[in-house]
Amino acid sequence: MQLELSKKQFRRLLDLVYIGNWILNSTRGDQRFTDYDEVESLVFGRAALEGMPSLAELYRGDIVPSRAFVEGGIHEAIMEYENNVFFDILAEDLARRDMEDAPIDENNYAELASRIDAYIAEFEEHGTDNILVDIDR
């Protein structure tokens, strides 16, 4: 397979490969999807050949993203995504709970959307400051 990329496009590909593998494997411990690790290693192995040797390093016999790459801001992008997804999922879960987990159809979809919007507005204004859990139950 042949793929032509500019240096800037290749640099963006490194970000995409790292982010994808992070999402798939970062929480899996010893149960990693090793085929994705292999693709990441293959792509990062090209970094030196493309004039970006500081972005990859050898670790336990495998080519991996370098410490400089990992600490260079990529996790800020991942954290922004995770924060947004967290609040979206939480808002939907709470809205569905409020509706007693009723199946959603055209008759109650507007209500669900309205409740989700209300929770999102709350989270945007106050974060999780107003979430309380009654632990004495």
Side-chain angles (χ1 to χ4, degrees), residues 7 10-11 14 40-58 63-66 69:
K7 288 206 181 283
F10 179 72
R11 179 62 183 84
L14 293 174
E40 180 184 71
S41 184
L42 180 67
V43 173
F44 273 84
R46 292 288 311 227
L49 300 173
E50 299 301 325
M52 303 173 205
S54 65
L55 300 181
E57 62 190 31
L58 195 60
I63 298 173
V64 298
S66 69
F69 177 87

Side-chain angles (χ1 to χ4, degrees), residues 5-126:
L5 299 172
S6 69
K7 288 206 181 283
K8 183 176 181 177
Q9 289 171 323
F10 179 72
R11 179 62 183 84
R12 298 296 178 257
L13 179 62
L14 293 174
D15 290 345
L16 292 169
V17 167
Y18 181 83
I19 290 168
N21 198 27
W22 173 265
I23 289 170
L24 288 168
N25 276 325
S26 66
T27 61
R28 297 191 59 81
D30 292 337
Q31 304 290 316
R32 294 179 69 86
F33 295 117
T34 57
D35 49 339
Y36 288 95
D37 287 332
E38 291 168 6
V39 170
E40 180 184 71
S41 184
L42 180 67
V43 173
F44 273 84
R46 292 288 311 227
L49 300 173
E50 299 301 325
M52 303 173 205
S54 65
L55 300 181
E57 62 190 31
L58 195 60
Y59 177 74
R60 295 185 180 175
D62 293 318
I63 298 173
V64 298
S66 69
R67 179 178 298 268
F69 177 87
V70 171
E71 294 175 354
I74 195 70
H75 281 275
E76 289 157 3
I78 293 169
M79 284 176 46
E80 183 177 337
Y81 168 78
E82 288 173 340
N83 285 336
N84 288 329
V85 169
F86 167 76
F87 285 112
D88 289 346
I89 291 170
L90 182 59
E92 184 172 346
D93 283 353
L94 292 171
R96 287 177 179 272
R97 180 213 53 197
D98 293 349
M99 296 173 64
E100 298 177 352
D101 292 313
I104 304 303
D105 58 27
E106 64 275 355
N107 296 319
N108 62 2
Y109 180 79
E111 179 184 355
L112 176 67
S114 176
R115 288 174 182 271
I116 290 171
D117 289 345
Y119 278 114
I120 293 293
E122 171 64 25
F123 298 148
E124 286 175 352
E125 188 170 342
H126 301 286

